[in-house]
Amino acid sequence: MSDPMQNLNDAADALNQVAARAAGFYDDADAEIATRQAAYDALAANLRAVVGVEMNFLAYVDPDEANPTNVDGGTFTSISAAVDAAPRGALVNIYLAPGKEHVLSHYVYVRHRRLTFLKNGAGANPVIRHAVVANATHNSLYGFTMSDGGAVRAGSIDFVLDDKADAGLPWSNNKTAFAYANAGRTEVELVSCKVTGNAEQGITSAYTGNQVRIGMWSTTLDGPFNAVVSVTSGLASISHGAVTLLNGAALNDGGTLGTNLLKTS
């Protein structure tokens, strides 16, 4: 027969071991919780800096860059790559290599970002060239689309709108550098820029109830196009100063002052 006293001693030892393991577990858990709590406290205390890092994006674009980093504060070979890399809703500063063409060969979706284009250093203004694609029925101009919000500001940038890819076809409604959005809003600000375009084109459009706000300062429009087209289809606010209109350029295509058009004289 087993010794009752020995059994009691064995049971007591087992309970002591369980208690010791439990104490160790709780000590480890308390330490882990304390570590994580400290990390959360630090994050909360620095939340403004965290948000600032996430919501401010910087890019340097050079189409001839051999080894683009494609990260915040780094280099890119195209505007679209830089925009796509930025968080939605961010303030995005994009510095373009001077004296070079930066071709838009497909639509750039702004997606609640505020894009600011600037010249990176001395030299001739960078050129954003908007390419054209033709299908079986229409020509369409590639540009920036803000159907889901956003705005664009440019300083010392030249915009060139290519002419029809198929001269025998008409333009589609996508014939502006900054595309319209059904019942949407387009905001464009141009400072010391030049826009060169062709007949029927525009910087932006009020088509299908789009609301346009465009501001221009010390900017030249060159060619038989309008800053805003299809004004009667939506609302347009045009503010400008020191704007030069050359070779048939005009501020608006249609619209009635005080009804669907506001503009400075």
Side-chain angles (χ1 to χ4, degrees):
M1 294 180 61
S2 60
D3 185 349
M5 185 58 68
Q6 183 62 44
N7 291 342
L8 287 174
N9 291 335
D10 291 344
D13 288 342
L15 287 174
N16 288 336
Q17 292 177 25
V18 170
R21 292 182 62 188
F25 170 80
Y26 288 125
D27 288 343
D28 291 343
D30 288 342
E32 182 68 18
I33 291 170
T35 299
R36 292 182 180 274
Q37 185 62 53
Y40 293 144
D41 290 345
L43 178 61
N46 197 35
L47 191 56
R48 178 178 294 181
V50 172
V51 172
V53 169
E54 289 297 318
M55 301 314 294
N56 289 277
F57 194 89
L58 174 64
Y60 298 90
V61 178
D62 186 336
D64 299 318
E65 173 61 49
N67 297 294
T69 60
N70 296 317
V71 297
D72 182 16
T75 55
F76 297 80
T77 57
S78 70
I79 290 171
S80 59
V83 173
D84 289 345
R88 295 192 183 191
L91 303 176
V92 184
N93 285 335
I94 300 176
Y95 286 86
L96 301 180
K100 295 185 179 182
E101 282 194 349
H102 304 263
V103 180
L104 299 188
S105 56
H106 56 275
Y107 294 105
V108 176
Y109 294 91
V110 179
R111 290 177 173 151
H112 294 289
R113 304 173 181 96
R114 177 172 172 81
L115 309 181
T116 298
F117 291 99
L118 300 164
K119 180 171 61 173
N120 186 20
N125 282 0
V127 174
I128 297 179
R129 178 177 291 277
H130 297 257
V132 174
V133 62
N135 60 20
T137 58
H138 292 88
N139 291 278
S140 295
L141 185 73
Y142 287 123
F144 299 90
T145 177
M146 287 168 270
S147 58
D148 40 12
V152 176
R153 181 177 178 85
S156 299
I157 305 294
D158 293 345
F159 296 83
V160 174
L161 284 55
D162 282 353
D163 206 349
K164 293 178 177 179
D166 188 332
L169 296 175
W171 284 108
S172 72
N173 291 314
N174 292 322
K175 56 185 178 181
T176 61
F178 301 90
Y180 70 92
N182 297 337
R185 182 177 70 250
T186 302
E187 297 185 22
V188 180
E189 302 164 0
L190 305 177
V191 178
S192 299
C193 294
K194 182 178 181 180
V195 183
T196 303
N198 305 280
E200 302 181 58
Q201 293 178 325
I203 297 175
T204 188
S205 171
Y207 190 62
T208 64
N210 192 46
Q211 302 172 51
V212 171
R213 184 186 71 80
I214 182 170
M216 295 176 287
W217 174 257
S218 188
T219 289
T220 298
L221 310 186
D222 187 0
F225 67 95
N226 291 273
V228 184
V229 301
S230 303
V231 176
T232 55
S233 298
L235 294 173
S237 172
I238 306 172
S239 57
H240 62 93
V243 168
T244 301
L245 303 175
L246 301 176
N247 298 313
L251 293 176
N252 55 288
D253 170 24
T256 302
L257 282 172
T259 301
N260 50 18
L261 174 65
L262 294 174
K263 68 177 181 178
T264 52
S265 58

